[in-house]
Amino acid sequence: MAKNPNKEVAPKDEPMNGAMKFFLAGCVAELYLLILRRFYINADSELTRIAWYDHYLWTLAGIGAGVLAVGVIAALVLRGSAKKQKSAWILAAAGAFVGAATALVRWNMATLSFMTIVVPVIMLLGILWALYDRECALALTVLGASLFVLWGVRRYGSSVYVGTTVKVCVVIYLVLLAALAALTKSGKLNKLLPPKADKLPVYAACGLSALALLASLLGGGISYYAMWALAAVVFALAVYYTVKQL
């Protein structure tokens, strides 16, 4: 009897399957956040909101912590099976998200809006790492993080209360960019970049991000134009590698 050709996934289908997993995980995470918004943030009455605050959110956070513990224990026990261990780590990650997201929303409802933005961004980055060349995915990750930092500088850089903290964070981020460029040059990122990978996009992403952040520290509306400049670079890089991989 001939073997079923669909029994094993062809290697060329693995990137698409990985991208679909990230997409579905992001959709489920976003759906959970929408549930919290509908039944807690936008509750029909104040009594319902209090019930969620006092009971339901604690229960959901506890369930998330329990799933996290089970996933971690299963991953440690199933070291002999890579496939089962991977499933256990996915379970642990799901529990960590439910527990952390619920706890953050209970602590401060404003964090929900932030998470509804962060989840699609992480989902998109996961899809990029699954589909695109590693150098492109790493460069786009750096540029995406830099855009987020620039937004923080524009939003809070001139604040009397946290302005200094924001500037310190920018300096730390610049140091991390320099470290990433140095590690890329020395070839110590083999797990992220194959030996034959083109390192120029990573250098360009680190350099342009550093210039944009240094310019944003000068104040004024420079951070606004720096964000648009980096966004244009992100678009151009994504289009180039999309055409390249067709």
Side-chain angles (χ1 to χ4, degrees):
M1 182 181 292
K3 294 183 178 179
N4 184 359
N6 297 322
K7 186 176 182 180
E8 295 183 0
V9 179
K12 65 180 181 180
D13 294 332
E14 290 180 1
M16 182 59 68
N17 288 339
M20 287 301 300
K21 289 177 182 177
F22 277 110
F23 176 75
L24 292 175
C27 290
V28 172
E30 196 71 17
L31 177 62
Y32 180 72
L33 295 178
L34 290 176
I35 291 173
L36 292 180
R37 181 179 295 279
R38 169 62 182 85
F39 294 101
Y40 174 55
I41 306 297
N42 299 327
D44 296 331
S45 65
E46 191 64 27
L47 290 176
T48 303
R49 185 178 292 110
I50 292 174
W52 271 82
Y53 184 84
D54 289 338
H55 303 289
Y56 303 145
L57 292 180
W58 280 122
T59 302
L60 290 171
I63 292 173
V67 172
L68 170 61
V70 171
V72 171
I73 294 173
L76 295 176
V77 172
L78 300 173
R79 291 182 178 179
S81 176
K83 186 175 182 180
K84 292 181 179 179
Q85 188 182 47
K86 182 178 179 180
S87 299
W89 283 121
I90 293 175
L91 182 66
F97 172 78
V98 171
T102 306
L104 284 173
V105 171
R106 189 184 185 280
W107 169 67
N108 189 339
M109 290 190 293
T111 58
L112 182 61
S113 297
F114 176 74
M115 285 188 289
T116 54
I117 297 174
V118 171
V119 167
V121 170
I122 294 177
M123 177 186 71
L124 178 59
L125 289 176
I127 293 174
L128 290 175
W129 279 94
L131 293 179
Y132 284 72
D133 293 339
R134 289 299 180 90
E135 62 270 20
C136 175
L138 182 56
L140 289 175
T141 301
V142 171
L143 291 170
S146 300
L147 282 171
F148 177 76
V149 175
L150 280 170
W151 173 84
V153 173
R154 176 173 171 75
R155 179 68 176 82
Y156 301 104
S158 58
S159 173
V160 177
Y161 302 101
V162 297
T164 302
T165 302
V166 170
K167 291 179 175 62
V168 171
C169 291
V170 170
V171 172
I172 294 174
Y173 185 73
L174 288 171
V175 173
L176 292 176
L177 288 176
L180 177 62
L183 290 173
T184 302
K185 183 177 181 180
S186 62
K188 294 182 179 180
L189 296 178
N190 292 332
K191 292 184 178 181
L192 293 178
L193 292 175
K196 296 183 179 180
D198 185 9
K199 299 178 180 179
L200 181 59
V202 181
Y203 294 146
C206 292
L208 292 174
S209 297
L211 288 175
L213 288 167
L214 288 172
S216 68
L217 292 177
L218 298 177
I222 298 179
S223 58
Y224 174 80
Y225 297 104
M227 289 176 64
W228 276 104
L230 283 190
V233 174
V234 168
F235 178 77
L237 186 63
V239 170
Y240 172 76
Y241 272 91
T242 300
V243 174
K244 180 182 177 181
Q245 295 186 187
L246 289 179

